[in-house]
Amino acid sequence: MKMIHLILVTIIALIAFYIQVDNPVYVFHFYFSVLIFCFLFGLVQKEPNICHISIMLAVVILIEFILFGTGLIDLGAPDDNYLIVGTKIFGIQLLINLFAIVLFIFRVQVSRFFSRSGKIILTDFDGLFHWIFIAAGIMNVLALIENAIRNGLNWKSLRFIYDIYTTFGYAIIAVTCGLLLTMLIIQVKNKQLT
């Protein structure tokens, strides 16, 4: 089996796993465990780029978990105005995505600010992580639009983005795990070649 096939199978398996679990708290714990593993791998391999990317992804998911998983941001009750609740939720998610996009566009500069290591370089993956958050941001913009139409104009049958939102989020997390796995594999192969 070629490496690309292994990575694709891993991503598809993770998407299926996350969808089957369908519990944001469990998915958070699993994803956070993967990030910790990647961080520790980066430490052992003395690869600061992997460590910093893992930390940045952990910061993004921790912000999201603290805001939504702990109840700091109210996810609404059955009698709430869903236009306001949805706008607040999807708007905050969009702000988190914008933060992540900026963080990953300037990943090398941020890494160099916190570390003076000469190994901090622009990796092949730096150009990919911000695209993941751009895709998530586009989904949040579409969710905001759908929320405004569905709840503002009372088109209750318009639910496409709402229905796929969680699955799309799980896919984003799975692709991120796949990219991290690929980084680790390439790091190990590069060490074997030297």
Side-chain angles (χ1 to χ4, degrees), residues 178-189:
L179 286 176
L180 286 169
L181 172 66
T182 307
M183 284 183 72
L184 302 184
I185 291 169
I186 289 174
Q187 178 65 25
V188 168
K189 280 190 169 192

Side-chain angles (χ1 to χ4, degrees), residues 79-185:
D79 59 340
D80 286 346
N81 181 343
Y82 284 116
L83 178 61
I84 294 170
V85 171
T87 302
K88 179 174 59 172
I89 291 168
F90 297 129
I92 290 170
Q93 287 279 22
L94 179 61
L95 291 175
I96 292 169
N97 294 143
L98 292 173
F99 167 73
I101 292 166
V102 170
L103 189 63
F104 280 98
I105 286 176
F106 295 106
R107 201 274 311 164
V108 173
Q109 292 84 348
V110 171
S111 291
R112 286 184 181 155
F113 180 78
F114 289 107
S115 173
R116 300 293 176 230
S117 173
K119 289 182 162 184
I120 295 174
I121 59 169
L122 186 66
T123 69
D124 295 335
F125 296 91
D126 285 308
L128 300 174
F129 283 108
H130 71 274
W131 282 105
I132 291 173
F133 291 104
I134 289 172
I138 290 169
M139 180 58 89
N140 281 302
V141 168
L142 293 173
L144 280 166
I145 293 168
E146 183 183 84
N147 180 60
I149 293 170
R150 186 177 72 238
N151 296 308
L153 301 176
N154 208 24
W155 286 15
K156 298 298 181 192
S157 62
L158 183 61
R159 299 177 48 94
F160 178 72
I161 300 298
Y162 181 79
D163 289 342
I164 67 166
Y165 189 81
T166 305
T167 304
F168 186 81
Y170 293 152
I172 291 286
I173 292 172
V175 169
T176 303
C177 290
L179 286 176
L180 286 169
L181 172 66
T182 307
M183 284 183 72
L184 302 184
I185 291 169

Side-chain angles (χ1 to χ4, degrees), residues 4 8 15 24-25 28 34 40 45 47 58 60 73-74 88 93 113 143 152 175:
I4 187 71
L8 286 174
I15 293 170
V25 175
F28 164 77
V34 170
L40 293 174
Q45 294 289 317
E47 180 51 53
V60 172
I73 301 293
D74 185 22
K88 179 174 59 172
Q93 287 279 22
F113 180 78
V175 169

